[in-house]
Amino acid sequence: LSPPPVLIEAAELRAGVERLAAEVSADHPDGAVLVAVLKGSLLFLSDLVRALTVPVEVGFLALSSYAEGTGRVRLVMDLDIDLHDRPVVLVEDVVDTGLTLTWLLGVLRARGPASLRVCTLLDKSVRRIVPTQLDYVGFEVADEFVLGYGLDFAGRYRNLDHIVAGDVAALSADPDAHVQALYPG
Ligand code: IMP
């Protein structure tokens, strides 16, 4: 199996995250609560918070995984921060159909934040089913299954410092299909 094509290099990711951090900082001069969705936003979040120039609090929540079926979203871990009257930025790894985000925005809005904005690293807008509000977008991606920089297939590949396009047929047959090409060991 040939190595999966690189879609976004580490240096491009760094530049994109810095641009997003500047935008988020400009809109939240007094700081914000960043709500990150585990586990996909892990790397993005850690780079984003370091690049912000305003104070932030960080809260995590976790949803049931993509593989369990689109649209069927379940909160498996909730925030430990009260969002009431706080400026909130939801940090997402990728918005695909938009079903997850739409559901999550409903949950968060019900908690009465002073403001609620969405910051996503990747926007796969060609796949959108539900129109969604995106305030900050790092990169537009085509209709491909992306891996790395937090994004996984069956738990693998999250720790790559760049983003590749996975071969879904090969991965479905063997989730470790790209391991040899991507990890020198
Ligand atoms: P949506 O509900 O279809 O917008 O899906 C959003 C979630 O699906 C993301 O937060 C990811 O966890 C997952 N997802 C969507 N596309 C990809 C991908 O290309 N690679 C890895 N995970 C993905």
Side-chain angles (χ1 to χ4, degrees), residues 107-163:
V107 169
L108 297 179
R109 217 172 264 128
R111 299 179 183 184
S115 61
L116 178 57
R117 295 189 176 93
V118 179
C119 179
T120 186
L121 178 70
L122 306 177
D123 180 8
K124 227 191 268 184
S125 61
V126 291
R127 296 250 312 157
R128 201 62 37 84
I129 292 174
V130 204
T132 42
Q133 159 213 344
L134 297 181
D135 301 280
Y136 314 101
V137 174
F139 301 88
E140 179 73 35
V141 286
D143 184 5
E144 294 190 273
F145 196 80
V146 293
L147 301 170
Y149 199 65
L151 293 144
D152 75 308
F153 183 89
R156 280 83 158 170
Y157 312 107
R158 286 195 207 278
N159 64 331
L160 300 172
D161 68 357
H162 58 288
I163 289 180

Coordinates of all heavy atoms in Angstrom, one line a residue, residues 107-163:
V107 N -27.2 21.9 22.6 CA -26.9 21.6 24.0 C -26.3 22.8 24.7 O -26.7 23.2 25.8 CB -26.0 20.4 24.1 CG1 -25.5 20.1 25.5 CG2 -26.8 19.1 23.6
L108 N -25.3 23.4 24.1 CA -24.6 24.5 24.7 C -25.4 25.8 24.8 O -25.3 26.5 25.8 CB -23.3 24.8 23.9 CG -22.3 23.6 23.9 CD1 -21.0 24.0 23.1 CD2 -21.9 23.1 25.3
R109 N -26.2 26.0 23.8 CA -27.0 27.3 23.8 C -28.0 27.2 24.9 O -28.3 28.3 25.5 CB -27.7 27.4 22.4 CG -27.8 28.8 21.9 CD -28.4 28.9 20.5 NE -27.3 29.0 19.5 CZ -27.2 28.2 18.4 NH1 -28.1 27.2 18.2 NH2 -26.2 28.4 17.6
A110 N -28.5 26.0 25.2 CA -29.5 25.9 26.3 C -28.9 26.2 27.7 O -29.6 26.4 28.6 CB -30.0 24.4 26.3
R111 N -27.6 26.3 27.7 CA -26.9 26.7 29.0 C -26.7 28.2 29.2 O -26.0 28.6 30.1 CB -25.6 25.9 29.1 CG -25.8 24.4 29.1 CD -24.6 23.6 29.2 NE -24.9 22.2 29.1 CZ -24.0 21.2 29.2 NH1 -22.8 21.5 29.4 NH2 -24.4 20.0 29.1
G112 N -27.2 29.0 28.2 CA -27.2 30.4 28.4 C -25.9 31.1 28.3 O -25.6 32.1 29.1
P113 N -25.0 30.8 27.4 CA -23.7 31.5 27.3 C -24.0 33.0 26.8 O -24.9 33.2 26.1 CB -22.9 30.7 26.2 CG -23.9 30.1 25.4 CD -25.1 29.8 26.3
A114 N -23.0 33.9 27.2 CA -23.2 35.3 26.7 C -23.0 35.3 25.2 O -23.6 36.1 24.5 CB -22.1 36.1 27.4
S115 N -22.1 34.5 24.7 CA -21.9 34.4 23.2 C -21.4 32.9 23.0 O -20.9 32.3 23.9 CB -20.8 35.4 22.7 OG -19.6 35.1 23.3
L116 N -21.6 32.5 21.7 CA -21.2 31.1 21.4 C -20.7 31.1 20.0 O -21.5 31.3 19.0 CB -22.4 30.2 21.6 CG -22.2 28.7 21.2 CD1 -21.1 28.1 22.0 CD2 -23.5 27.9 21.5
R117 N -19.4 30.9 19.8 CA -18.9 30.9 18.5 C -18.2 29.5 18.2 O -17.9 28.8 19.2 CB -17.8 32.0 18.3 CG -18.4 33.4 18.4 CD -17.5 34.5 18.0 NE -18.1 35.8 18.0 CZ -18.1 36.7 19.0 NH1 -17.5 36.3 20.1 NH2 -18.6 37.9 18.9
V118 N -18.0 29.2 17.0 CA -17.5 27.9 16.6 C -16.2 28.1 15.9 O -16.1 28.8 14.9 CB -18.5 27.1 15.7 CG1 -17.9 25.8 15.3 CG2 -19.8 27.0 16.3
C119 N -15.2 27.3 16.3 CA -13.8 27.4 15.7 C -13.5 25.9 15.3 O -13.3 25.1 16.2 CB -12.8 27.9 16.7 SG -11.1 27.9 16.1
T120 N -13.4 25.7 14.0 CA -13.1 24.3 13.5 C -11.8 24.4 12.8 O -11.5 25.3 12.0 CB -14.2 23.7 12.7 OG1 -13.9 22.4 12.4 CG2 -14.4 24.5 11.4
L121 N -11.0 23.4 13.0 CA -9.7 23.3 12.2 C -10.0 23.0 10.8 O -9.5 23.7 9.9 CB -8.8 22.1 12.8 CG -7.5 21.9 12.0 CD1 -6.6 23.1 12.3 CD2 -6.9 20.6 12.4
L122 N -10.9 22.0 10.5 CA -11.2 21.6 9.2 C -12.7 21.8 8.9 O -13.5 21.5 9.7 CB -10.8 20.2 8.9 CG -9.3 19.8 9.3 CD1 -9.1 18.3 9.1 CD2 -8.3 20.6 8.5
D123 N -13.0 22.2 7.6 CA -14.3 22.3 7.2 C -14.5 21.4 5.9 O -13.9 21.7 4.9 CB -14.7 23.7 6.9 CG -16.1 23.9 6.4 OD1 -16.9 22.9 6.4 OD2 -16.4 25.0 6.0
K124 N -15.2 20.3 6.0 CA -15.5 19.5 4.9 C -16.9 19.9 4.3 O -17.8 19.1 4.4 CB -15.5 18.0 5.3 CG -14.7 17.1 4.5 CD -15.0 15.6 4.9 CE -14.1 15.1 5.9 NZ -14.4 13.6 6.2
S125 N -16.9 21.1 3.8 CA -18.3 21.7 3.5 C -19.0 20.9 2.4 O -20.2 21.0 2.4 CB -18.1 23.2 3.1 OG -17.3 23.3 2.0
V126 N -18.3 20.3 1.5 CA -19.0 19.5 0.4 C -19.9 18.4 1.0 O -20.8 17.9 0.3 CB -18.1 18.9 -0.7 CG1 -17.4 20.0 -1.5 CG2 -17.0 18.0 0.0
R127 N -19.6 18.0 2.2 CA -20.4 16.9 2.8 C -21.6 17.4 3.7 O -22.3 16.6 4.2 CB -19.4 16.0 3.7 CG -18.4 15.4 2.9 CD -18.6 13.9 2.8 NE -18.9 13.4 4.2 CZ -19.5 12.2 4.4 NH1 -20.0 11.5 3.4 NH2 -19.7 11.8 5.6
R128 N -21.7 18.7 3.7 CA -22.7 19.2 4.7 C -24.1 18.8 4.4 O -24.6 18.8 3.3 CB -22.6 20.8 4.7 CG -23.1 21.5 5.9 CD -22.4 21.2 7.2 NE -20.9 21.0 7.0 CZ -20.1 22.0 6.9 NH1 -20.4 23.2 7.1 NH2 -18.8 21.7 6.8
I129 N -24.8 18.3 5.4 CA -26.2 18.0 5.4 C -27.1 19.1 6.0 O -28.1 19.5 5.5 CB -26.5 16.6 6.0 CG1 -25.9 15.5 5.2 CG2 -28.0 16.4 6.1 CD1 -26.0 14.1 5.8
V130 N -26.6 19.5 7.2 CA -27.3 20.6 7.9 C -26.4 21.9 7.8 O -25.2 21.8 8.1 CB -27.4 20.3 9.4 CG1 -28.5 21.1 10.1 CG2 -27.5 18.8 9.7
P131 N -27.0 23.0 7.4 CA -26.3 24.2 7.3 C -25.8 24.6 8.7 O -26.6 24.4 9.7 CB -27.3 25.3 6.8 CG -28.5 24.5 6.5 CD -28.5 23.1 7.0
T132 N -24.6 25.0 8.9 CA -24.0 25.2 10.2 C -23.3 26.6 10.3 O -22.8 27.1 9.3 CB -23.0 24.1 10.6 OG1 -22.2 23.8 9.5 CG2 -23.7 22.9 11.1
Q133 N -23.3 27.1 11.5 CA -22.6 28.3 11.8 C -21.1 28.0 12.1 O -20.8 27.3 13.0 CB -23.3 28.9 13.1 CG -22.5 29.9 13.8 CD -22.8 29.9 15.3 OE1 -23.8 29.3 15.8 NE2 -21.9 30.5 16.1
L134 N -20.2 28.6 11.3 CA -18.8 28.4 11.5 C -18.2 29.8 11.6 O -18.2 30.5 10.6 CB -18.1 27.6 10.4 CG -18.6 26.1 10.3 CD1 -17.8 25.5 9.2 CD2 -18.4 25.4 11.6
D135 N -17.7 30.2 12.7 CA -17.1 31.5 12.9 C -15.7 31.6 12.5 O -15.2 32.6 12.0 CB -17.3 32.0 14.3 CG -18.8 32.0 14.7 OD1 -19.5 33.0 14.3 OD2 -19.3 31.0 15.3
Y136 N -14.9 30.5 12.8 CA -13.5 30.4 12.5 C -13.2 29.1 11.8 O -13.5 28.1 12.4 CB -12.7 30.6 13.7 CG -13.1 31.7 14.7 CD1 -13.9 31.4 15.8 CD2 -12.8 33.0 14.4 CE1 -14.3 32.4 16.7 CE2 -13.2 34.0 15.3 CZ -14.0 33.7 16.4 OH -14.4 34.7 17.2
V137 N -12.6 29.1 10.6 CA -12.3 27.9 9.9 C -10.8 27.9 9.5 O -10.3 28.9 8.9 CB -13.1 27.8 8.6 CG1 -12.7 26.6 7.8 CG2 -14.6 27.7 8.9
G138 N -10.1 26.8 9.9 CA -8.7 26.7 9.6 C -8.5 26.4 8.2 O -7.8 27.1 7.4
F139 N -9.0 25.3 7.7 CA -8.8 24.8 6.4 C -10.0 24.1 5.8 O -10.7 23.4 6.5 CB -7.6 23.7 6.3 CG -6.3 24.2 6.9 CD1 -6.0 24.1 8.3 CD2 -5.4 24.8 6.0 CE1 -4.8 24.6 8.8 CE2 -4.2 25.3 6.6 CZ -3.9 25.2 7.9
E140 N -10.2 24.4 4.5 CA -11.3 23.7 3.8 C -10.7 22.3 3.3 O -9.5 22.3 2.8 CB -11.7 24.5 2.6 CG -12.7 24.0 1.7 CD -14.1 24.0 2.3 OE1 -14.4 25.0 3.1 OE2 -14.9 23.1 2.0
V141 N -11.4 21.2 3.5 CA -10.9 20.0 2.9 C -11.9 19.3 2.0 O -13.1 19.6 2.1 CB -10.5 18.9 4.0 CG1 -9.2 19.3 4.7 CG2 -11.6 18.7 5.0
A142 N -11.5 18.6 1.0 CA -12.3 17.9 0.1 C -13.0 16.7 0.7 O -12.8 16.4 1.9 CB -11.5 17.5 -1.1
D143 N -13.8 16.0 0.0 CA -14.6 14.8 0.5 C -13.6 13.6 0.6 O -13.6 12.8 -0.2 CB -15.7 14.5 -0.4 CG -16.6 13.4 0.1 OD1 -16.3 12.9 1.3 OD2 -17.5 13.0 -0.5
E144 N -12.8 13.7 1.7 CA -11.8 12.6 1.9 C -11.8 12.3 3.4 O -12.1 13.2 4.2 CB -10.4 13.1 1.5 CG -10.3 13.3 0.0 CD -8.9 13.6 -0.5 OE1 -8.4 14.7 -0.4 OE2 -8.2 12.6 -0.8
F145 N -11.3 11.1 3.7 CA -11.2 10.8 5.1 C -9.9 11.2 5.6 O -8.8 10.7 5.1 CB -11.5 9.3 5.4 CG -11.8 9.0 6.8 CD1 -13.0 9.3 7.4 CD2 -10.7 8.6 7.7 CE1 -13.3 9.1 8.7 CE2 -11.0 8.4 9.0 CZ -12.2 8.6 9.5
V146 N -9.8 12.2 6.5 CA -8.5 12.7 6.9 C -8.1 12.1 8.2 O -8.9 11.8 9.1 CB -8.6 14.3 7.0 CG1 -8.8 14.8 5.6 CG2 -9.7 14.8 7.9
L147 N -6.8 12.0 8.4 CA -6.1 11.4 9.5 C -5.0 12.3 10.0 O -4.3 12.9 9.2 CB -5.6 10.1 9.2 CG -6.5 9.0 8.7 CD1 -5.7 7.8 8.2 CD2 -7.4 8.5 9.8
G148 N -4.7 12.3 11.3 CA -3.6 13.0 11.8 C -3.9 14.2 12.5 O -5.1 14.7 12.4
Y149 N -3.0 14.8 13.3 CA -3.2 16.0 14.1 C -4.5 16.0 14.9 O -5.3 16.9 14.9 CB -3.2 17.2 13.1 CG -3.0 18.6 13.8 CD1 -1.8 18.8 14.4 CD2 -4.0 19.5 13.9 CE1 -1.5 20.1 15.1 CE2 -3.8 20.8 14.5 CZ -2.5 21.0 15.1 OH -2.3 22.2 15.8
G150 N -4.7 14.8 15.5 CA -5.9 14.6 16.3 C -6.9 13.7 15.7 O -7.7 13.0 16.4
L151 N -7.0 13.6 14.4 CA -8.0 12.9 13.7 C -7.6 11.4 13.6 O -6.4 11.1 13.2 CB -8.3 13.5 12.4 CG -9.0 14.9 12.5 CD1 -8.5 15.8 11.5 CD2 -10.5 14.7 12.6
D152 N -8.5 10.5 13.8 CA -8.2 9.1 13.9 C -9.0 8.2 12.9 O -10.1 8.7 12.4 CB -8.5 8.6 15.3 CG -9.9 8.4 15.6 OD1 -10.7 9.4 15.3 OD2 -10.3 7.3 16.0
F153 N -8.5 7.0 12.8 CA -9.4 5.9 12.3 C -9.3 4.8 13.3 O -8.2 4.3 13.6 CB -9.0 5.4 10.9 CG -9.9 4.4 10.4 CD1 -11.0 4.7 9.6 CD2 -9.7 3.0 10.7 CE1 -11.9 3.7 9.1 CE2 -10.5 2.0 10.2 CZ -11.6 2.4 9.5
A154 N -10.4 4.4 13.9 CA -10.4 3.4 14.9 C -9.3 3.6 16.0 O -8.6 2.7 16.4 CB -10.2 2.0 14.3
G155 N -9.1 4.9 16.4 CA -8.2 5.3 17.4 C -6.7 5.5 17.0 O -5.9 6.0 17.7
R156 N -6.4 5.1 15.8 CA -5.1 5.2 15.2 C -4.8 6.6 14.6 O -5.8 7.3 14.2 CB -4.8 4.2 14.2 CG -4.5 2.8 14.7 CD -5.7 2.1 15.0 NE -5.5 0.6 15.0 CZ -6.4 -0.2 15.4 NH1 -7.6 0.2 15.9 NH2 -6.2 -1.5 15.3
Y157 N -3.6 6.9 14.5 CA -3.0 8.1 13.6 C -3.2 9.5 14.2 O -2.8 10.4 13.6 CB -3.7 8.0 12.2 CG -3.6 6.7 11.6 CD1 -4.8 5.9 11.4 CD2 -2.4 6.1 11.2 CE1 -4.7 4.6 10.9 CE2 -2.3 4.9 10.6 CZ -3.5 4.1 10.5 OH -3.4 2.9 9.9
R158 N -3.8 9.6 15.4 CA -4.0 10.9 16.0 C -2.7 11.7 16.2 O -2.7 12.9 16.2 CB -4.6 10.8 17.4 CG -6.1 10.4 17.4 CD -6.7 10.6 18.8 NE -7.8 9.8 19.0 CZ -9.0 10.0 18.6 NH1 -9.3 11.1 17.9 NH2 -10.0 9.2 18.9
N159 N -1.6 11.0 16.5 CA -0.4 11.7 16.9 C 0.5 12.1 15.7 O 1.6 12.6 16.0 CB 0.4 10.9 17.9 CG 0.9 9.6 17.3 OD1 0.3 9.0 16.4 ND2 2.0 9.1 17.8
L160 N 0.0 12.1 14.5 CA 0.8 12.6 13.4 C 0.8 14.1 13.5 O -0.3 14.7 13.8 CB 0.1 12.2 12.1 CG 0.1 10.7 11.8 CD1 -0.8 10.5 10.5 CD2 1.4 10.1 11.7
D161 N 1.9 14.8 13.1 CA 1.9 16.3 13.2 C 1.4 16.9 11.9 O 1.5 18.1 11.8 CB 3.3 16.8 13.6 CG 4.3 16.5 12.5 OD1 4.0 15.9 11.4 OD2 5.5 16.9 12.7
H162 N 0.9 16.1 11.0 CA 0.4 16.6 9.7 C -0.9 15.9 9.4 O -1.2 14.9 10.1 CB 1.4 16.5 8.6 CG 1.9 15.1 8.4 ND1 2.7 14.4 9.3 CD2 1.6 14.2 7.4 CE1 2.9 13.2 8.9 NE2 2.2 13.0 7.7
I163 N -1.5 16.3 8.4 CA -2.8 15.6 8.0 C -2.7 14.9 6.7 O -2.2 15.5 5.7 CB -4.0 16.6 8.0 CG1 -4.2 17.0 9.5 CG2 -5.2 16.1 7.4 CD1 -5.3 18.0 9.7

